[in-house]
Amino acid sequence: MLWGGRFKEKLNSKALKFSSSLKYDINLLSEDIEGSIAQAEMLATVNIISNDEKDKIVFGLKKIEDEWNNNTWSPDPDNYEDVHSAIESRLFELIGDAAGKLHTGRSRNDQIATDLALWVRKNSSLISELLSTFQKTLLEISSGNTETLIPGYTHFQRAQPISLAFHLLAYIEMLERDKSRFEFVGQSVNQSPLGSGAMAGSTLPLDRNLTSKKLGFTEPTGNALDSVSNRDFILDFLNACSIGMMHLSRFSEELVIWSTSEWNFIKLSDSFTTGSSLMPQKKNPDMAELIRGKTGRVYGNYIAFISTMKSLPLSYNRDLQEDKEPLFDSFATYSDSLEIINGMLLSAEFNKSRFIEELKGDFSLATDLADWIVQKQVPFREAHKIVGNLVQKLESEGRNFKSVTLSDLKSISSVFDETAMECLQMETALRRKKTYGSPNPAIVKNRIEFWKKKLS
Ligand code: ARG
């Protein structure tokens, strides 16, 4: 117990259970110990504790970490309020009275803020690594598929032909933005809250620069009141997880669609699909569905915690303890989802020739034909109408672009000549794209090279 002095009675056992965060803040054990070691070393440097006491404290803290990692010590959540009290109590058992000096000039308020900053910094970079791994997988698939034609959609109606590589590269761009959000979160925790005390600093000569340096921060935070109240970085982390999950969810939806027999475009491996308990023939894309489904929970975590933060007066309030479950849950869900979707893609097979014939038989090159007309100095609105009339004529005859002849074109407008027929060649459709950022295989290959360099 960290605070018994002014109390006559013990905390009600139900109240202790209700308020204890140990079940989940035990996740912060290594950060808590790291922060405490820095604190003890600083206290010795400014002569608040002796070197001998510091050595004992550091020895005890390291032993606790070992005990936890080797499963030889695990604190009972019904006995402790949080990870900080559990560790301090174990430290007393291990080293005796010197343990009582560790908390000098420190409050659990600056302690937890420091633990969380360290945790968020570590796990932001872990997520960035997972994002890079997934980008590399997509890049690898893209490399062999710059000419693999698939339909591109708007309004989920066929719009224009694109390549599989072009489609996957769109996700690589999104994942890069996801990474930059985590980089921002990492930078937003580069100041050390340690030494802010409960909310107004300390009368002791604590060296905040020293603890900041020891913990790898760039400087101490500038205002003690803000330091113990600030959870913006947790909201930023939760938001980055939400947007990241939204991207994985959109991709998952596409994987679900691509794996239907109607699409027959992707074959997910047995190791990332499941069967039906009733229908023997089924092979279900459950992993993709679950990523899509779990996205809701990750959004919920953000909403839950930003709602908790609303209207809290400065500075620390116990409400802030509600930051942890959403934080750990969003991290676990998002990092697992990234690994799963990566495994799913690595082991999937694409039916590369699936769409070529089908695309020849639809109207996806209508825009290219209109572009051809525009080059004859016809206003685009007019060109749009001419091609619209052609589509209408062919459709009413039960035909499509596959069977179109020059005389069909000429019957609609005298602007056409035989070079217009080239626009309807599906095989060369991508190569005719001229703009930067388009699916032209040469342009896509350049972009692949760009990403290869960036991700290496
Ligand atoms: N478990 C607490 C939290 O997560 C630690 C800080 C407690 N501070 C306090 N004054 N009760 O916020």
Side-chain angles (χ1 to χ4, degrees), residues 5-249:
R6 61 106 69 225
F7 289 81
K8 279 207 219 97
E9 286 174 53
K10 266 177 65 177
L11 181 62
N12 172 284
S13 63
K14 182 90 193 172
L16 175 58
K17 225 180 168 135
F18 177 72
S19 58
S20 173
S21 52
L22 184 58
K23 280 196 301 296
Y24 42 88
D25 68 12
I26 193 76
N27 269 321
L28 296 168
L29 182 123
S30 79
E31 285 75 18
D32 200 67
I33 286 182
E34 193 186 346
S36 288
I37 290 176
Q39 172 79 359
E41 289 173 344
M42 179 276 291
L43 290 173
T45 307
V46 300
N47 296 316
I48 296 176
I49 64 173
S50 71
N51 268 324
D52 186 45
E53 287 164 335
K54 180 256 299 175
D55 289 343
K56 276 191 185 150
I57 292 173
V58 172
F59 163 82
L61 289 169
K62 287 187 174 158
K63 188 157 168 54
I64 294 172
E65 191 166 18
D66 283 348
E67 287 180 341
W68 171 253
N69 290 335
N70 303 328
N71 291 317
T72 51
W73 167 75
S74 91
D76 179 359
D78 291 344
N79 278 335
Y80 299 103
E81 256 182 78
D82 49 36
V83 66
H84 323 298
S85 13
I87 291 175
E88 195 169 311
S89 144
R90 182 67 187 145
L91 193 61
F92 266 103
E93 288 168 10
L94 290 173
I95 66 162
D97 283 346
K101 296 207 167 177
L102 170 62
H103 213 54
T104 312
R106 188 173 69 170
S107 156
R108 278 180 294 166
N109 301 351
D110 59 341
Q111 185 176 358
I112 187 64
T114 307
D115 292 3
L116 286 168
L118 291 173
W119 189 94
V120 163
R121 185 176 73 190
K122 177 177 83 189
N123 290 299
S124 297
S125 69
L126 207 142
I127 298 249
S128 289
E129 280 166 34
L130 291 175
L131 283 163
S132 292
T133 303
F134 185 35
Q135 282 178 307
K136 285 181 196 159
T137 298
L138 297 180
L139 201 56
E140 191 55 42
I141 303 171
S142 301
S143 297
N145 287 290
T146 54
E147 310 245 13
T148 303
L149 279 173
I150 62 170
Y153 290 77
T154 63
H155 310 266
F156 208 41
Q157 303 291 318
R158 280 198 189 176
Q160 298 184 27
I162 56 173
S163 67
L164 175 59
F166 182 69
H167 194 101
L168 298 182
L169 282 167
Y171 281 98
I172 295 180
E173 303 278 345
M174 286 185 232
L175 296 166
E176 190 65 18
R177 292 195 296 273
D178 293 333
K179 241 191 309 187
S180 68
R181 267 180 286 275
F182 283 96
E183 272 155 30
F184 165 77
V185 178
Q187 280 159 16
S188 73
V189 288
N190 65 11
Q191 294 182 320
S192 171
L194 198 57
S196 298
M199 42 81 75
S202 176
T203 55
L204 297 166
L206 307 177
D207 187 345
R208 294 195 60 208
N209 283 307
L210 185 59
T211 44
S212 163
K213 209 162 141 197
K214 281 182 186 292
L215 294 170
F217 293 105
T218 50
E219 57 187 355
T221 50
N223 179 294
L225 205 53
D226 178 51
S227 309
V228 298
S229 323
N230 174 26
R231 294 293 184 272
D232 294 358
F233 60 101
I234 293 195
L235 290 171
D236 284 328
F237 187 94
L238 292 174
N239 176 56
C241 290
S242 301
I243 298 179
M245 281 300 288
M246 178 267 285
H247 289 155
L248 299 191
S249 173

Side-chain angles (χ1 to χ4, degrees), residues 135-396:
Q135 282 178 307
K136 285 181 196 159
T137 298
L138 297 180
L139 201 56
E140 191 55 42
I141 303 171
S142 301
S143 297
N145 287 290
T146 54
E147 310 245 13
T148 303
L149 279 173
I150 62 170
Y153 290 77
T154 63
H155 310 266
F156 208 41
Q157 303 291 318
R158 280 198 189 176
Q160 298 184 27
I162 56 173
S163 67
L164 175 59
F166 182 69
H167 194 101
L168 298 182
L169 282 167
Y171 281 98
I172 295 180
E173 303 278 345
M174 286 185 232
L175 296 166
E176 190 65 18
R177 292 195 296 273
D178 293 333
K179 241 191 309 187
S180 68
R181 267 180 286 275
F182 283 96
E183 272 155 30
F184 165 77
V185 178
Q187 280 159 16
S188 73
V189 288
N190 65 11
Q191 294 182 320
S192 171
L194 198 57
S196 298
M199 42 81 75
S202 176
T203 55
L204 297 166
L206 307 177
D207 187 345
R208 294 195 60 208
N209 283 307
L210 185 59
T211 44
S212 163
K213 209 162 141 197
K214 281 182 186 292
L215 294 170
F217 293 105
T218 50
E219 57 187 355
T221 50
N223 179 294
L225 205 53
D226 178 51
S227 309
V228 298
S229 323
N230 174 26
R231 294 293 184 272
D232 294 358
F233 60 101
I234 293 195
L235 290 171
D236 284 328
F237 187 94
L238 292 174
N239 176 56
C241 290
S242 301
I243 298 179
M245 281 300 288
M246 178 267 285
H247 289 155
L248 299 191
S249 173
R250 294 180 77 170
F251 200 0
S252 295
E253 171 71 6
E254 298 195 313
L255 294 175
V256 169
I257 294 171
W258 291 355
S259 66
T260 58
S261 36
E262 289 74 11
W263 273 60
N264 183 27
F265 180 51
I266 192 172
K267 214 165 99 193
L268 298 172
S269 71
D270 286 359
S271 50
F272 285 93
T273 46
T274 55
S276 155
S277 58
L278 177 73
M279 298 164 284
Q281 85 285 10
K282 288 296 291 290
K283 183 167 157 180
N284 297 326
D286 289 33
M287 302 307 134
E289 295 164 72
L290 281 168
I291 291 172
R292 194 176 58 186
K294 284 172 188 285
T295 301
R297 220 182 54 212
V298 173
Y299 291 0
N301 288 334
Y302 176 78
I303 298 295
F305 188 55
I306 198 168
S307 310
T308 295
M309 289 300 288
K310 179 181 177 291
S311 315
L312 287 186
L314 297 184
S315 59
Y316 180 84
N317 300 275
R318 190 67 181 270
D319 314 46
L320 294 181
Q321 179 171 295
E322 289 294 308
D323 55 5
K324 287 167 203 63
E325 285 165 292
L327 177 64
F328 299 147
D329 183 66
S330 281
F331 168 71
T333 308
Y334 184 40
S335 56
D336 284 351
S337 300
L338 278 167
E339 287 188 58
I340 291 286
I341 201 165
N342 186 55
M344 230 177 349
L345 264 291
L346 270 178
S347 58
E349 277 172 45
F350 288 91
N351 180 357
K352 295 187 179 204
S353 55
R354 163 69 178 86
F355 287 108
I356 173 82
E357 284 311 311
E358 214 176 284
L359 284 168
K360 285 183 197 164
D362 66 19
F363 296 111
S364 342
L365 293 177
T367 310
D368 297 20
L369 193 60
D371 285 347
W372 182 93
I373 302 173
V374 162
Q375 291 185 30
K376 303 282 166 197
Q377 311 308 320
V378 177
F380 180 73
R381 278 290 150 247
E382 183 59 27
H384 188 283
K385 203 159 109 197
I386 294 170
V387 179
N389 291 340
L390 175 68
V391 169
Q392 191 186 52
K393 165 188 150 71
L394 292 170
E395 220 170 34
S396 71

